[in-house]
Amino acid sequence: IRNGKRHVEHLCQAARHQSFATARWSHEKDVGLFQLGAQQLLIHPDVALGNKPVGALATIDRIYDLVSGNIASEIRGKIDSINAEVPHRLAQPVAKAICLLQYVRSIHRTAENIAATLHSTVDGDSQLSEVTSALDALLAAHMVRHGEDGYRIPSPAEDDWERQRTSLSPKPGDVSRIHAEAVLSHWQPHPSHMLLNVKNFKAGLYLYGRQITDGDIPFQLTLAEAGSEYSARINEMRKRSQRETKSIFWVAMLDDGIDQEAVELYRSKEILTRKERGAQTKDETALVAEEKRRLRRHQDELKRLVKQALLSGSIFFRGNDRSPDDTVAEAGKAASGALAQALPEVFERFEEGAARVSKKDLDTLMSTENLRGLTPVFTELSLVRDQGGKPVFNADSSPLAEVLARIENRTSYGETASGRYLADEFAKEPFGWEFDMVRLLVVSLIRAGKIEATSKGQVIDTALSLGAKSTFPNNNFFRQASFRRKIGLEFQHVVAAYEHFREVFGNDISELEQGVVATAIRKEVTDQEDALHEVHAILEQNSLPGAAVLQGALNQVRSMRTGNTDQVIKTFNTAYRELKEAIKRCAELASALTPSRVQGMERARKALHDYRTFLKNESDIAEEMHKHAEKLDDLLQHEIFFNNFGLIDQHARVLSEEYKRRHQEAVDQRTKTYRRALDKLHGTPGWAQLNGNQQRQVEELLAVRAKTKDAINITIPMLREQCDACPVILSNAIEEMLRFVDGARIVRISAMSYFRGGIETEEQLDQALAGLRDECMELIAADKKVLVQ
């Protein structure tokens, strides 16, 4: 056992015996750290292995103690301070092992290999668990780093990176966004349920009351800290579920692991935002790549922890517990399961219109004169019944009666029952009917003679007409069409039109005779038509909201202008309130939409576009900026936007200034990068040998991008890409310069071609370098000047 060789053999045997990777000391020539003879391990007083019992092994931390004088002082000082900063008995020995193993490239610095080098006796127990614990403590204290090649002692540059990273702390809004991203990752694919094998309903998602994604039934998710807050939230959500019966409530617990991963994920995103674009040296590029790997690890771990929290959480619907059981392994499946239980109760009348409607169903309805020729869907939904041996539409019950009632109720208040209104109304609970189903029901009522439609100024009172065939199969035309009950004109309708006329136009009609009333209505609406057209055109041309309101009024005006007496009065009675609102809206818009305000709206839309396409994805964007964007988006979509020009301009200015600030930063960075590149080019040997024209040709692209005047119309991502491309452009410029100087002697070779597939062993490295050297030597012998890239 006194023989050093035999001692190392015992070390290897013990490592293999404990299922550890074998430590091989075969690279002493690299740095000279292992030139210490085996005799020193036996006789040196700091180790004195020769005085220990047979079976004792030389651990690597003892070797470190003997050779530490050869270690850089900053690394040695860091290891010496570990005992005071990391309260773990193996922390310092583990760090010593990592330090020496960094010089042995063939050994991967895993926890298992580190534990093997610290194995102290042939028959001793494994120290893997304690070594793993020590590594965790060292990582937490930033005394070691973990990369693709295993654990390592950080360099000064890595320490500086870590200090900057650790100084970053997320705000509550940052944490909320990170939580939302993690939760949303479990909403892909979108949780859904096929109800009655007809329609696929989707689960919406709200986090802390803020919408994350839309759906048919909203899931109100709350993440609560463990302890009393979590218990309180469970009680609160259960009670809310009893009041808000159309939503599902989900409470999940936040623990220290989720909190820490959210912080680490924020730090990784933030440090990459600050450092990635400016990374130019090899060390900086390596740190960026390693941070990206750390970012992915934190994302994956946070996703795992959030899934665990969701599956362990509580789900309530109408006061009942719908929490996932132990058999559910994915959060999305848990959501789909709760959705399946809630859908029949929320959409309780879906079954009445539960059928798949095809194009053939609608075509036969508008072309087959005999109702016996209709498709089976009409029988399935009880839309047709037998009366005296003949099929007739069952308009007094079934879904047809519900649609007819909605049309009558809407038009009785002087509001338009448009196809859009009906489709949206019946898509909601308790119906949930498909668009094609609503259209089929509406056209069935026209075919039954119960309602009539107005489309593009034309009245359609039969489903078999050419007007019906050109209007109803088109989705947009159906949405724009309006519908009212088909009735005969009576004196009470003339009286109603007279009263509505005074309400809309503020004038009286000379007598209560239907022809006189119809003429007065036709004259007034015709007088308003040009103004409505003009303002509608401004809204359309500038993509401003509210055009649909004026378009609907114009359709009614056109119908009254060209219709007969009965149609004028009936149309006016069913649309007078909408017409009144449109005339009022038209006057307000005409005075509000000055050219400067129209331009202001265009600037606001551009600011929102810049936010959505760029600012939204910036990891360091402030929470306040997201709020400005949300408020601006809401204002720009509102039909009465013209009442909020001040607020629109305020929110747009904040977003625009933030974009301009970042754009200027990108411009400055590009200018700085390319000016440095120009300086390097001008300082390269051979530059002075070029004449003026040659110099301008070589530096042309670098010189253009070193200026700021052309950058105003270049997007920020493009500016950043140009910064990243600078090293390649500089390299090409240098090559072009050298070709002017040395002509055909210049040869470019790619070093990367010798390193494809990566390097895993010293032998592979030697082979790659030898091949590169041989090619260079051949070219040099041929009187070539080699550019290695």
Side-chain angles (χ1 to χ4, degrees):
I1 198 63
R2 302 241 176 210
N3 182 283
K5 181 178 178 181
R6 289 180 58 205
H7 188 81
V8 173
E9 290 173 354
H10 275 296
L11 170 62
C12 297
Q13 290 168 4
R16 287 193 294 268
H17 177 69
Q18 297 296 335
S19 299
F20 298 147
T22 301
R24 295 188 297 120
W25 313 107
S26 60
H27 296 277
E28 300 91 293
K29 61 182 180 182
D30 290 342
V31 280
L33 289 180
F34 302 108
Q35 292 178 352
L36 178 70
Q39 182 182 21
Q40 291 297 312
L41 295 173
L42 299 172
I43 66 174
H44 197 285
D46 290 342
V47 181
L49 187 62
N51 297 328
K52 294 186 178 180
V54 172
L57 300 175
T59 56
I60 198 169
D61 58 319
R62 297 293 192 181
I63 299 174
Y64 173 90
D65 292 338
L66 296 179
V67 301
S68 59
N70 296 319
I71 305 296
S73 58
E74 65 269 14
I75 301 296
R76 193 167 63 248
K78 185 180 298 184
I79 293 176
D80 290 344
S81 68
I82 285 177
N83 280 339
E85 298 187 31
V86 183
H88 193 289
R89 76 174 188 86
L90 285 183
Q92 194 176 61
V94 165
K96 292 177 178 179
I98 293 172
C99 177
L100 292 193
L101 288 177
Q102 282 184 243
Y103 296 99
V104 187
R105 299 171 191 163
S106 59
I107 297 179
H108 196 68
R109 295 179 297 281
T110 62
E112 291 81 2
N113 283 347
I114 294 169
T117 66
L118 295 174
H119 197 72
S120 58
T121 62
V122 172
D123 57 353
D125 293 331
S126 168
Q127 297 193 91
L128 179 58
S129 61
E130 282 196 83
V131 167
T132 302
S133 175
L135 286 168
D136 291 340
L138 288 166
L139 284 170
H142 307 297
M143 291 294 184
V144 301
R145 288 174 68 88
H146 188 265
E148 287 188 332
D149 57 347
Y151 297 92
R152 67 176 184 273
I153 304 297
S155 66
E158 291 170 332
D159 281 335
D160 181 61
W161 179 285
E162 205 62 42
R163 277 193 296 271
Q164 293 186 51
R165 185 182 183 278
T166 306
S167 68
L168 302 171
S169 297
K171 298 176 181 178
D174 299 320
V175 174
S176 295
R177 282 197 300 276
I178 289 172
H179 286 165
E181 291 171 3
V183 172
L184 187 59
S185 69
H186 294 290
W187 233 249
Q188 305 296 332
H190 208 129
S192 61
H193 177 72
M194 183 73 71
L195 187 58
L196 300 178
N197 292 319
V198 172
K199 180 180 177 181
N200 197 34
F201 287 83
K202 294 183 177 181
L205 178 61
Y206 288 72
L207 181 61
Y208 306 123
R210 180 178 177 181
Q211 187 180 43
I212 305 300
T213 185
D214 196 14
D216 298 292
I217 292 184
F219 277 68
Q220 299 283 354
L221 175 62
T222 298
L223 303 177
E225 295 291 343
S228 58
E229 182 185 347
Y230 181 66
S231 301
R233 289 291 175 269
I234 286 181
N235 292 331
E236 178 188 345
M237 293 303 112
R238 184 191 293 273
K239 292 177 181 177
R240 277 189 63 185
S241 73
Q242 293 172 333
R243 299 191 305 270
E244 302 173 34
T245 57
K246 298 171 185 177
S247 298
I248 298 172
F249 293 82
W250 198 337
V251 187
M253 183 188 297
L254 289 173
D255 57 19
D256 292 341
I258 292 177
D259 291 341
Q260 186 58 38
E261 288 301 324
V263 170
E264 294 299 328
L265 183 55
Y266 169 81
R267 287 172 173 169
S268 290
K269 287 184 174 183
E270 182 68 14
I271 196 72
L272 284 172
T273 298
R274 298 184 181 189
K275 298 286 190 179
E276 184 176 7
R277 291 194 297 270
Q280 294 184 347
T281 68
K282 180 180 179 181
D283 289 342
E284 289 171 339
T285 303
L287 282 168
V288 166
E290 185 172 292
E291 192 62 49
K292 287 182 177 180
R293 291 191 291 271
R294 177 154 47 168
L295 172 68
R296 288 192 292 271
R297 288 199 304 270
H298 288 309
Q299 284 176 328
D300 293 342
E301 180 62 11
L302 180 61
K303 181 178 178 181
R304 185 189 70 81
L305 292 174
V306 166
K307 180 179 81 169
Q308 181 178 308
L310 291 172
L311 294 177
S312 302
S314 299
I315 301 178
F316 300 106
F317 175 68
R318 296 187 177 181
N320 298 313
D321 193 328
R322 296 288 186 257
S323 303
D325 56 31
D326 295 339
T327 63
V328 181
E330 298 295 334
K333 290 186 178 179
S336 296
L339 186 67
Q341 293 176 313
L343 279 172
E345 298 183 50
V346 175
F347 293 91
E348 57 190 81
R349 297 191 62 180
F350 176 74
E351 188 174 4
E352 298 174 32
R356 296 181 183 273
V357 176
S358 66
K359 181 177 181 296
K360 182 180 179 182
D361 299 323
L362 186 63
D363 289 345
T364 56
L365 182 62
M366 294 189 294
S367 60
T368 305
E369 295 187 6
N370 189 336
L371 294 185
R372 295 191 185 280
L374 295 179
T375 53
V377 70
F378 293 89
T379 304
E380 293 173 15
L381 298 176
S382 301
L383 302 182
V384 177
R385 60 181 173 84
D386 185 81
Q387 181 174 309
K390 293 184 178 180
V392 296
F393 282 99
N394 191 16
D396 298 328
S397 61
S398 77
L400 292 175
E402 188 64 46
V403 175
L404 182 59
R406 292 297 175 103
I407 293 173
E408 285 187 300
N409 182 65
R410 179 81 170 176
T411 55
S412 67
Y413 291 99
E415 298 178 350
T416 301
S418 65
R420 183 185 304 277
Y421 161 78
L422 294 171
D424 292 344
E425 195 71 9
F426 286 104
K428 302 174 186 175
E429 70 287 333
F431 304 101
W433 295 341
E434 297 268 32
F435 174 84
D436 289 336
M437 172 55 64
V438 175
R439 174 165 52 187
L440 186 74
L441 297 175
V442 171
V443 178
S444 294
L445 287 171
I446 294 177
R447 179 72 186 267
K450 297 294 183 180
I451 63 173
E452 59 187 11
T454 299
S455 175
K456 295 174 288 186
Q458 175 188 5
V459 175
I460 301 173
D461 57 3
T462 171
L464 299 174
S465 67
L466 290 176
K469 293 176 181 178
S470 64
T471 298
F472 299 134
N474 185 290
N475 293 350
N476 290 330
F477 288 167
F478 175 78
R479 290 187 176 97
Q480 294 168 6
S482 61
F483 305 91
R484 61 176 178 267
R485 186 167 187 122
K486 190 175 184 179
I487 55 175
L489 188 66
E490 299 178 4
F491 183 68
Q492 63 188 28
H493 300 134
V494 178
V495 173
Y498 172 82
E499 297 293 338
H500 296 154
F501 183 90
R502 288 198 302 179
E503 180 181 341
V504 174
F505 301 111
N507 301 325
D508 280 329
I509 302 177
S510 59
E511 60 179 290
L512 274 173
E513 192 275 325
Q514 66 183 40
V516 174
V517 172
T519 300
I521 293 171
R522 190 180 290 113
K523 177 181 181 304
E524 287 292 342
V525 298
T526 301
D527 290 345
Q528 297 292 335
E529 190 172 11
D530 287 344
L532 288 168
H533 265 303
E534 182 178 349
V535 175
H536 177 265
I538 294 174
L539 295 178
E540 284 283 314
Q541 291 167 6
N542 295 281
S543 302
L544 298 173
V549 173
L550 299 188
Q551 182 61 61
L554 282 168
N555 289 339
Q556 302 296 347
V557 167
R558 193 178 300 113
S559 173
M560 288 182 277
R561 177 167 51 80
T562 59
N564 59 37
T565 297
D566 287 8
Q567 290 173 348
V568 171
I569 292 175
K570 288 190 290 184
T571 300
F572 184 69
N573 281 340
T574 57
Y576 76 92
R577 186 163 293 174
E578 179 184 354
L579 187 59
K580 177 183 177 181
E581 173 62 26
I583 293 171
K584 177 175 177 289
R585 179 82 58 84
C586 179
E588 292 172 335
L589 285 167
S591 62
L593 291 178
T594 62
S596 62
R597 283 178 170 169
V598 171
Q599 291 174 3
M601 290 293 291
E602 178 60 31
R603 288 194 299 271
R605 280 200 304 274
K606 183 180 184 306
L608 188 61
H609 175 268
D610 289 341
Y611 167 80
R612 284 174 170 163
T613 56
F614 176 74
L615 292 177
K616 184 178 181 180
N617 299 316
E618 291 284 272
S619 61
D620 62 335
I621 197 77
E623 177 66 21
E624 195 64 25
M625 209 62 61
H626 295 295
K627 293 179 181 178
H628 281 295
E630 289 176 2
K631 291 176 182 177
L632 179 60
D633 189 23
D634 182 62
L635 290 169
L636 289 179
Q637 293 186 47
H638 209 288
E639 292 179 351
I640 56 171
F641 67 91
F642 50 86
N643 290 333
N644 296 294
F645 282 125
L647 284 174
I648 289 172
D649 185 62
Q650 175 187 336
H651 296 306
R653 191 183 305 113
V654 173
L655 294 177
S656 179
E657 288 176 354
E658 179 66 15
Y659 182 85
K660 288 178 181 177
R661 182 183 70 80
R662 291 173 183 263
H663 188 273
Q664 187 61 50
E665 286 181 354
V667 171
D668 293 344
Q669 181 61 40
R670 188 190 77 161
T671 302
K672 180 180 177 182
T673 300
Y674 277 85
R675 284 178 180 173
R676 284 201 305 260
L678 276 174
D679 291 341
K680 290 181 181 178
L681 176 63
H682 296 165
T684 302
W687 175 257
Q689 299 178 40
L690 303 184
N691 60 41
N693 288 334
Q694 290 172 334
Q695 288 181 345
R696 284 190 291 274
Q697 179 180 333
V698 169
E699 71 176 9
E700 180 179 9
L701 185 53
L702 292 172
V704 167
R705 293 183 178 179
K707 299 175 182 177
T708 59
K709 63 179 183 180
D710 70 324
I712 188 170
N713 294 320
I714 302 178
T715 63
I716 297 176
M718 180 60 71
L719 288 167
R720 291 176 177 174
E721 286 180 15
Q722 289 179 356
C723 280
D724 294 339
C726 185
V728 176
I729 295 173
L730 174 60
S731 176
N732 292 338
I734 291 174
E735 180 181 352
E736 185 177 6
M737 178 196 71
L738 293 176
R739 289 192 185 280
F740 275 126
V741 174
D742 294 296
R745 291 186 62 234
I746 298 298
V747 176
R748 178 194 297 191
I749 64 173
S750 172
M752 185 61 67
S753 62
Y754 290 94
F755 294 89
R756 289 196 181 110
I759 301 296
E760 295 180 327
T761 66
E762 184 179 7
E763 291 74 17
Q764 290 177 340
L765 177 61
D766 290 339
Q767 290 174 4
L769 292 175
L772 178 61
R773 184 178 185 280
D774 290 343
E775 184 175 358
C776 290
M777 292 298 293
E778 288 180 8
L779 293 169
I780 291 170
D783 194 30
K784 300 295 184 182
K785 189 171 185 177
V786 181
L787 293 181
V788 180
Q789 296 183 336

